[in-house]
Each structure stands twice: as structure tokens, then as C-alpha cells.
Amino acid sequence: MKNCFIFAGEASGDLHGSRLMRALKEQFVFSSLNGVGGPLMRLEGLEVLYPMEEFQVMGFTDVLKAFPKLYKLFYAIRKHILKTNPSCVILIDYPGFNLRLTKSLRKVGYKGKIIQFICPTVWAHGKKRIDTMVKHLDLLLTIYPFEAAFFSHTPLKVRYVGNPLVETVSNYPYKENWKSICGIPHNQKLLAIFPGSRIGEIQRHLPQQLEVAQLLIKNHPSIHFAISCSDDRLLSFIKTHIHNTSLQMGLNIHLVPRFFSYELMKDCHCSLAKSGTVTLELALHQKPTVVLYTLTQLNYLLAKYWMHLNLPHYCIVNILLERTVYPEFIGKKLDIYQIFKQIEKLFINQDHYDSVIGDCAILRQQLGDGIASSLASREIQELLNAKKT
């Protein structure tokens, strides 16, 4: 039996990695799975070299601060892979780290198979990464239907397996009594607020989301608000921001713990969310959403002058549908009033609201049959079983 090193450096990768591990075990692909993962991968039996939490950074600023630690971890992982010589290395998302690791492993003589699960956003920036992947990878597993076209001129084996979030949402066991547990009225329309999962994100997004909420409640006093809290350690931080507003905790605004995030998505009327994977999860729940993302000055300068980002859309929902379905507000300074108007439209214009839901249904059809992990596992098994020519 073959052994495998698997790496996931962030929460979304941990989710996808846990499902992939389950499929690999069901298909008896590997005798052992060791590497880097989070709580979900650990529950699936990952033999942990380092916990995923050591790698969780987001944005240019966070990466720069964490660079010395990431540098040490990078070489420790490379040393481990060379020492244990696994049949296969599976790298999930986290492209800045993973593509450097791929290149470095080949440079020092690693001969096993290297697989990247989830393609870097070469369609947005970093097209030079295509050459790195073609030169060093054995297999690229993509989760969006348009990505394979960027490699059609290359010999790299690229397979679209569908989006693993479809699988996650489809199989999720919703709790019907979650509103009672959180103290949320059952008969009032609810605006869900997703400010992010890290303090820096919450600090940038939540004050603006709360400004929008205060404008909305002036004209629509029956609306309630629910903030998704990704970590109990952030509760006091979020409560401090709420206390600085006219909103009243437990009366018209509520906190929802991470483990009820999908319940909140399912039962809210609409959402105000920071840009990221959460917008796709909301679309899979067919929830109309307005998207925002506040850039730091450094992030803005790097995105504009170094990465040269200039896309018609930045939200993945709009990219996939090739039109604005979820209005986007992204930049250093956001127009709070215009965000409010877009959110209000979702409460007062039923035709518009229904149109967005219809677009979300179209999106769901694009993203596969909900068996991405199983298909990915089969592709990995096929690669490992292929005879050398």
C-alpha cells in the first residue's frame, strides 16, 4: 500500500481535505495519510506533522508578519517529505506556499507524484504560475468549470471534479431549533452579517456592516440582524463594536456561533458578507447577498500596482455567472449609503429578490453533482496506478 502526505493550510482547505481523506479511505487508496490539517482532517485520522492553525494567515500584511515562522515550517515540511518519501503529495489550495513547495521538492530530487487540489486563481492574476504547475505537477484538480481552459495548451493533466462545497451543503444536517437556542424570533425577517473569520477582517468589515444595519432599521424597524461569529474568542470583540451602535444585543441584533452558520444561511432573508468562500456558500443556499471587502492601504497598493488586478468581478458568484448577481463593494473606502440601498432593495423589491434566487439556482447547476471528493479520489488513484511509458 502507498502512503501520502497531505497539506491544508486554512479552514476551507481543512473542510475539503477532510472529505477527500474520507473518499481516499473508502477507496483504499493509501495505507497512511500524514501531514498538515485542521480539526476536520484530524477527525478523519490524519497523522499530524503540524496543525493547520500554524499556517492561518490572510492578506499581504499578515503574510509579511508571519514570514519567519512560515519560512521555518516550509523547510521542516520539505525535510519531512524527503525523509519519509511518500508515494504522493496532495496540496490543497494555499497556492503561495504550495507552489513554492512543489518547485522546491522537485529541485531537491523528490520523484513522487505531486497533486494540487484547487487551482490557484490564474484567471485573476499570477498567470506565470501556470508554467510552474505545468513543470512540476503531475495532476491539477479544479473546482470551477472554466479553469481547465487556461491549461489547454499544456501537457499537464487537469481534471474538473466539481465543487466540494456542493457536497458539503447537500449533506449538511440542519438543526431546526437553532433560532430558539440563539434567542432569535421566528417570525421576523433576518439579515445575516458575515464579517470574516479573523480579527483583522472583522475590524475592517463589521463597523461598516453595522452602519448599514442602522440605516436599514430606521426605515424597517421590524428587521433583525444576526452576526456569524467564527470563533468564541472573538465574541467580546464583536460585542464591543455592537455596543458602539444604536442596535441592541438580544433585541434586534444577535450573535450566531460558527456551528450554526449554515442554519443562518438557510433561514435568513438575505446577507451582507465579506468577499470570499462564504459568498459561494450563500449562493448554494440561494440567498441574495451584497458583498463588501475593505482593503488596507498596503493591500490596495499591492493589488493595483504589483498584481495589476483589474477584473470586471471579484466575487466568485459573479465570475461564474459572468454578470453582477451579488453587488460588490471593494476598495479602501466603501460607500455605506449605496450598500444600504442594495440591501434595502432585497427587502422591498420582490421581483429583484426572486431574480437573484433564480440566478443562484443556475449557479448550482454549474458546479457538479456533489461528488467532488469521490471524483478527486478516483483521479488520484488512476494517476498512481498508471503504468509508466
Side-chain angles (χ1 to χ4, degrees), residues 171-190:
N171 295 319
Y172 184 80
Y174 295 93
K175 289 84 175 174
E176 295 300 324
N177 65 337
W178 76 276
K179 280 188 176 182
S180 298
I181 295 172
C182 294
I184 298 173
H186 288 262
N187 58 346
Q188 300 292 341
K189 286 187 176 180
L190 190 65

Side-chain angles (χ1 to χ4, degrees), residues 135-147:
K135 186 175 181 180
H136 302 300
L137 290 179
D138 295 286
L139 175 64
L140 173 63
L141 300 170
T142 72
I143 63 171
Y144 297 124
F146 61 83
E147 292 174 310

Side-chain angles (χ1 to χ4, degrees), residues 174-231:
Y174 295 93
K175 289 84 175 174
E176 295 300 324
N177 65 337
W178 76 276
K179 280 188 176 182
S180 298
I181 295 172
C182 294
I184 298 173
H186 288 262
N187 58 346
Q188 300 292 341
K189 286 187 176 180
L190 190 65
L191 172 66
I193 295 174
F194 293 89
S197 59
R198 299 174 180 86
I199 278 198
E201 292 179 313
I202 295 169
Q203 203 159 19
R204 293 197 303 273
H205 301 128
L206 185 57
Q208 297 177 90
Q209 290 169 315
L210 293 175
E211 282 188 63
V212 173
Q214 289 175 94
L215 288 174
L216 190 62
I217 206 167
K218 284 182 180 179
N219 295 326
H220 309 278
S222 65
I223 293 174
H224 282 241
F225 307 93
I227 301 173
S228 176
C229 181
S230 63
D231 191 321

Side-chain angles (χ1 to χ4, degrees), residues 69-237:
K69 181 176 77 170
L70 291 175
Y71 181 87
K72 291 180 181 178
L73 290 169
F74 179 95
Y75 284 102
I77 288 171
R78 190 184 75 167
K79 181 179 180 180
H80 171 80
I81 292 171
L82 292 174
K83 180 180 179 181
T84 57
N85 194 31
S87 307
C88 174
V89 172
I90 300 174
L91 305 171
I92 304 173
D93 207 358
Y94 212 68
F97 187 94
N98 284 341
L99 293 186
R100 286 178 175 84
L101 180 60
T102 298
K103 185 176 180 178
S104 184
L105 283 171
R106 293 303 192 205
K107 186 176 180 180
V108 294
Y110 175 67
K111 302 297 185 184
K113 303 295 185 184
I114 303 181
I115 298 158
Q116 176 73 30
F117 182 30
I118 301 179
C119 182
T121 54
V122 294
W123 35 270
H125 66 90
K127 289 184 172 58
K128 291 181 179 178
R129 288 174 165 179
I130 292 175
D131 294 335
T132 299
M133 287 186 277
V134 170
K135 186 175 181 180
H136 302 300
L137 290 179
D138 295 286
L139 175 64
L140 173 63
L141 300 170
T142 72
I143 63 171
Y144 297 124
F146 61 83
E147 292 174 310
F150 288 89
F151 299 86
S152 60
H153 64 290
T154 77
L156 177 62
K157 185 176 183 181
V158 181
R159 296 291 184 269
Y160 170 57
V161 296
N163 197 290
L165 282 176
V166 175
E167 182 179 10
T168 301
V169 172
S170 298
N171 295 319
Y172 184 80
Y174 295 93
K175 289 84 175 174
E176 295 300 324
N177 65 337
W178 76 276
K179 280 188 176 182
S180 298
I181 295 172
C182 294
I184 298 173
H186 288 262
N187 58 346
Q188 300 292 341
K189 286 187 176 180
L190 190 65
L191 172 66
I193 295 174
F194 293 89
S197 59
R198 299 174 180 86
I199 278 198
E201 292 179 313
I202 295 169
Q203 203 159 19
R204 293 197 303 273
H205 301 128
L206 185 57
Q208 297 177 90
Q209 290 169 315
L210 293 175
E211 282 188 63
V212 173
Q214 289 175 94
L215 288 174
L216 190 62
I217 206 167
K218 284 182 180 179
N219 295 326
H220 309 278
S222 65
I223 293 174
H224 282 241
F225 307 93
I227 301 173
S228 176
C229 181
S230 63
D231 191 321
D232 288 346
R233 292 171 295 182
L234 299 172
L235 282 171
S236 61
F237 184 71

